[in-house]
Amino acid sequence: MQVGECIKKARWGESFSQEELVSMLSYAPASPEAYALLAEARRVSEEVTGGKAEIHGQFALDLAPCTRNCLWCSFAECNQIFKESWQINAEDAVSSAVRFEQEGANAVLTMTTADYPLWKMLEMAREIRRHIRPDTPLIANTGDKTLAQAEKMKDAGFDGVYHALRLDEGRRNRIHPGKRLETIRNFQEAGLWVGTCVEPIGPEHSNEELAHLILFTAGLHPAFSGAARRIPVPNTELAKYGMISELRMAQIVAVTRLAMPRGTRGNCTHEPCTLGALGGATLFWAEVGANPRDDQEKTEENRGKDVGICRELFTEAAWEILEGPSQHFMQAPEPRAPVETPPAVAQ
Ligand code: SF4
């Protein structure tokens, strides 16, 4: 498929097939065709967001060696990066959430490792909710949950979740891909918004695998989608594969935007970068505390970016930044068609 045809289809808001996505992903990242896709994705992002990018602030409620053993994650027990565990208390959680809000973050996220107790997360959510503005979305980035657990999260004050079916789920970790889809459905059934992403992308992933996962995320009609590269955690098995370039990541971010339904407003990328924003990324995360891509306990002293840096990166890419609560979680979701786990990652 010629790039001009792709752009015409995007202008009409049409959906793309697996083959069409593969052809868009197959252009060399520095080719005129790939640049044309970045420009069109940016145009679509501006159209659906009203030209306003967003910054969400994520902080960790805990750090612990995690038994799910995702090979790309610094918390994975098998990677032996962190041997000790800690959990922050409610006072510190509230202080991080309020600080993000004061710095201008459009939503606040709590992140936990997979075994963090639900009762504690609910307690934290209630406490945070009492202290942040009622219209600031509170989002959880946590492990798989049943419908009953998801409903409790909603009752405790969460508005949404970040949850993803990751590349290599079930092959490079101990989580069955079907569990991820089941959990996403539970969250949606409980009335929680779901934001997701095509991640963590390494140089070894084929265009076919990426296209399958892009279509999977589009079928979820998420609040936001996007794409993120895998950051090699030093001295881990996957570090030998290296990392895709920011430009290649921007291309995947752009193709993901073009493939999403227009009702999906947000298009994320991580880690924050100007090339991602150039290709239509409209959501960056600022981070505090533990971070699964970092081998330091306080990511704000190493890889993590703060709200101010995220703001600068968007500004360098000539984006305006939304003031006030996120718009990703305000629009009524479109009807959802059944989706299946992509064959490339299914067991
Ligand atoms: S990505 Fe999540 S589930 Fe996987 S090892 Fe890290 S904390 Fe555990």
Side-chain angles (χ1 to χ4, degrees):
M1 188 187 202
Q2 298 296 310
V3 71
E5 289 172 54
C6 300
I7 289 171
K8 260 192 225 157
K9 280 193 83 166
R11 291 267 154 116
W12 283 100
E14 291 178 22
S15 51
F16 290 93
S17 67
Q18 162 83 10
E19 292 69 31
E20 288 166 340
L21 294 182
V22 168
S23 82
M24 289 193 270
L25 292 164
S26 300
Y27 293 119
S31 64
E33 291 85 355
Y35 284 8
L37 295 174
L38 302 191
E40 179 58 14
R42 165 100 182 224
R43 187 198 66 75
V44 174
S45 281
E46 287 183 3
E47 179 187 304
V48 298
T49 60
K52 305 281 188 186
E54 298 195 14
I55 300 161
H56 297 182
Q58 172 171 282
F59 61 94
L61 293 180
D62 76 323
L63 180 152
C66 179
T67 54
R68 304 307 188 276
N69 279 335
C70 306
L71 292 185
W72 54 84
C73 174
S74 61
F75 304 147
E77 201 171 35
C78 63
N79 283 335
Q80 301 202 334
I81 306 287
F82 298 112
K83 310 228 167 67
E84 309 295 323
S85 305
W86 49 251
Q87 298 178 348
I88 65 170
N89 60 31
E91 197 182 328
D92 289 340
V94 167
S95 146
S96 292
V98 170
R99 196 173 324 120
F100 271 135
E101 207 179 40
Q102 288 168 346
E103 288 168 356
N106 309 104
V108 171
L109 282 87
T110 61
M111 189 212 69
T112 68
T113 57
D115 293 320
Y116 187 82
L118 177 67
W119 66 266
K120 199 152 195 176
M121 189 167 69
L122 301 179
E123 205 172 270
M124 292 289 182
R126 284 188 209 101
E127 202 54 24
I128 295 166
R129 189 78 267 173
R130 277 197 322 115
H131 288 83
I132 60 174
R133 288 191 290 268
D135 54 0
T136 297
L138 179 60
I139 311 297
N141 179 355
T142 189
D144 290 305
K145 297 284 176 280
T146 64
L147 176 58
Q149 291 171 329
E151 285 167 343
K152 284 184 184 158
M153 287 172 60
K154 174 81 177 160
D155 289 345
F158 284 112
D159 299 290
V161 292
Y162 173 81
H163 213 71
L165 170 68
R166 283 87 50 93
L167 288 154
D168 302 319
E169 206 90 71
R171 280 189 301 183
R172 285 172 167 170
N173 70 2
R174 294 179 51 206
I175 300 173
H176 192 282
K179 189 78 188 157
R180 303 307 248 174
L181 177 57
E182 185 186 316
T183 293
I184 288 170
R185 289 304 189 215
N186 290 338
F187 286 140
Q188 290 179 321
E189 190 71 30
L192 292 161
W193 287 97
V194 172
T196 192
C197 187
V198 175
E199 56 116 343
I201 305 165
E204 75 280 16
H205 293 124
S206 68
N207 291 328
E208 286 74 16
E209 282 175 282
L210 298 178
H212 273 305
L213 201 51
I214 291 170
L215 285 177
F216 170 82
T217 64
L220 299 172
H221 289 261
F224 62 82
S225 187
R229 62 181 174 175
R230 187 179 64 227
I231 304 295
V233 179
N235 304 316
T236 60
E237 192 185 323
L238 295 188
K240 66 179 183 230
Y241 291 101
M243 184 164 61
I244 62 169
S245 65
E246 268 185 19
L247 187 58
R248 170 65 173 160
M249 182 169 74
Q251 179 184 10
I252 304 165
V253 166
V255 173
T256 304
R257 173 62 270 177
L258 296 177
M260 285 306 122
R262 292 296 194 265
T264 296
R265 286 195 178 186
N267 194 36
C268 66
T269 198
H270 205 59
E271 295 168 332
C273 60
T274 47
L275 289 182
L278 181 78
T282 58
L283 170 57
F284 290 160
W285 285 281
E287 292 176 291
V288 164
N291 156 1
R293 291 164 308 282
D294 208 332
D295 59 0
Q296 305 296 308
E297 289 191 16
K298 292 184 175 178
T299 195
E300 64 272 29
E301 294 173 1
N302 197 36
R303 298 203 68 90
K305 307 285 187 293
D306 63 20
V307 172
I309 293 176
C310 293
R311 194 184 296 277
E312 276 173 30
L313 292 169
F314 272 133
T315 304
E316 290 291 5
W319 273 101
E320 288 179 28
I321 296 138
L322 180 74
E323 301 287 336
S326 171
Q327 297 182 2
H328 294 160
F329 313 101
M330 291 166 71
Q331 197 167 324
E334 295 172 24
R336 290 176 279 110
V339 291
E340 288 177 6
T341 311
V345 294
Q347 292 298 288

